[in-house]
Amino acid sequence: MVSLRFPTAAIPRLPPSQAPNGVAIAATVAAAAAAAAAVAASLTLTGKSTGRPVPHPAPLWASLSLADAAAPSSVEPRTGATFPTEAAVGRRLLGIGLRKTSVLGLKSIDVYAFGVYADDNDLKQQLKEKYSKFSVSELKGNGELINDALERDIPMTVRLQIVYGRLSIRSVRSAFEKSVGSRLQKFGGQDTKELLQSFVAVFKDEYKLPKGSVIELSRESNHVLKICIEGEEVGSIQSKLLCKSLLDLYIGDDPFDENAKDDIHENIASILKS
């Protein structure tokens, strides 16, 4: 049974303000206060015209404190793509890799960099009891650990960052149709076409993917696959088979990046023994 949900468009978040410095602090705070007042007035007008509740703007000190420190990140060395070491929902970065493809079997193209995330507590809750007797070194060489990570209801996120500047959404659909389709057949047999089409149909022509664009594919609780493009949720599908097939591309047999899989495997092992 496949369950589809398509949410309304998300309201984009404004970037945090830069913190003021030195003798200019008073002028900066005054300007920020004036801008906050203007935003508040705009929100009030919008809320009244639409009949929706009017959101309260964040206090000025909150905006200033957010800019004081940049979030830590890790870099994919070949492309320079950066990944936050912790996702917004508290999931930590387990490993970074690169998806490459070839043109006519000759030229290799870097398509996107990716990072795989999971929450320590979710991993421990699902896996620690079974693997508590193993050492870290034993867990690193235990292929069954990855199979369990694929099979069980562990929330995980794969964050894709586009590094190929001429990638179209049509190309993304075609690539997923081939790669995810092969995994669906691997785990579920031949009768998976409807499920595959429900997934690739989420990637509509209206979405553009310039270099630096971010796609997030998340297995949430109860094996719900949530798809986000540039921070906007564009669809979700409840299917254990689809979630497993998608994650298998990155951490299963014959992954897109073998080194990334090894790093992810090693980090899961370390988390279980921490």
Side-chain angles (χ1 to χ4, degrees):
M1 185 63 153
V2 177
S3 174
L4 297 176
R5 299 192 297 275
F6 296 92
T8 57
I11 300 174
R13 294 176 292 180
L14 295 174
S17 304
Q18 292 296 320
N21 291 293
V23 297
I25 187 168
T28 304
V29 170
V39 171
S42 175
L43 290 173
T44 301
L45 291 174
T46 302
K48 288 179 178 179
S49 63
T50 60
R52 294 177 297 180
V54 179
H56 296 287
L60 177 60
W61 62 264
S63 297
L64 297 177
S65 64
L66 287 174
D68 287 342
S73 61
S74 295
V75 179
E76 196 288 310
R78 180 178 171 93
T79 63
T82 60
F83 292 84
T85 55
E86 184 173 306
V89 289
R91 295 170 195 171
R92 63 176 285 188
L93 182 62
L94 301 177
I96 294 173
L98 184 61
R99 169 64 164 131
K100 297 186 288 186
T101 190
S102 59
V103 178
L104 301 177
L106 300 174
K107 182 179 179 181
S108 178
I109 294 175
D110 299 334
V111 182
Y112 60 78
F114 65 86
V116 177
Y117 295 78
D119 182 88
D120 291 19
N121 292 328
D122 291 333
L123 290 169
K124 290 177 181 179
Q125 183 179 0
Q126 292 285 339
L127 301 172
K128 191 163 187 176
E129 182 177 355
K130 178 176 179 178
Y131 294 101
S132 60
K133 297 180 181 180
F134 294 88
S135 66
V136 172
S137 59
E138 289 172 330
L139 288 176
K140 289 178 183 178
N142 191 329
E144 191 174 351
L145 174 60
I146 289 296
N147 290 335
D148 279 333
L150 286 170
E151 186 73 26
R152 298 196 184 187
D153 190 17
I154 304 173
M156 301 181 76
T157 295
V158 182
R159 179 185 175 96
L160 317 181
Q161 183 169 323
I162 307 302
V163 296
Y164 181 59
R166 291 184 290 175
L167 186 68
S168 68
I169 198 72
R170 183 175 298 179
S171 297
V172 171
R173 277 200 308 268
S174 177
F176 275 138
E177 193 164 20
K178 181 178 179 180
S179 59
V180 176
S182 67
R183 276 10 186 233
L184 286 173
Q185 291 187 12
K186 171 185 173 181
F187 296 122
Q190 297 296 318
D191 191 20
T192 56
K193 289 183 179 180
E194 183 179 350
L195 179 58
L196 177 61
Q197 289 306 310
S198 68
F199 171 61
V200 298
V202 171
F203 299 91
K204 302 181 184 299
D205 288 339
E206 63 196 75
Y207 302 121
K208 307 302 178 184
L209 296 173
K211 186 175 181 179
S213 299
V214 172
I215 299 173
E216 289 188 334
L217 308 166
S218 299
R219 176 174 64 184
E220 304 297 344
S221 298
N222 299 317
H223 301 281
V224 173
L225 180 65
K226 183 175 73 173
I227 304 103
C228 294
I229 298 178
E230 287 293 276
E232 176 186 343
E233 184 178 340
V234 297
S236 60
I237 304 168
Q238 185 174 27
S239 169
K240 180 178 180 180
L241 175 59
L242 180 59
C243 289
K244 180 179 179 180
S245 297
L246 180 74
L247 288 170
D248 188 70
L249 298 173
Y250 304 96
I251 63 174
D253 296 332
D254 192 24
F256 287 152
D257 189 321
E258 192 71 47
N259 291 330
K261 176 191 172 178
D262 292 342
D263 289 343
I264 293 164
H265 190 160
E266 182 175 342
N267 278 317
I268 291 175
S270 298
I271 288 168
L272 295 183
K273 300 307 294 184
S274 63

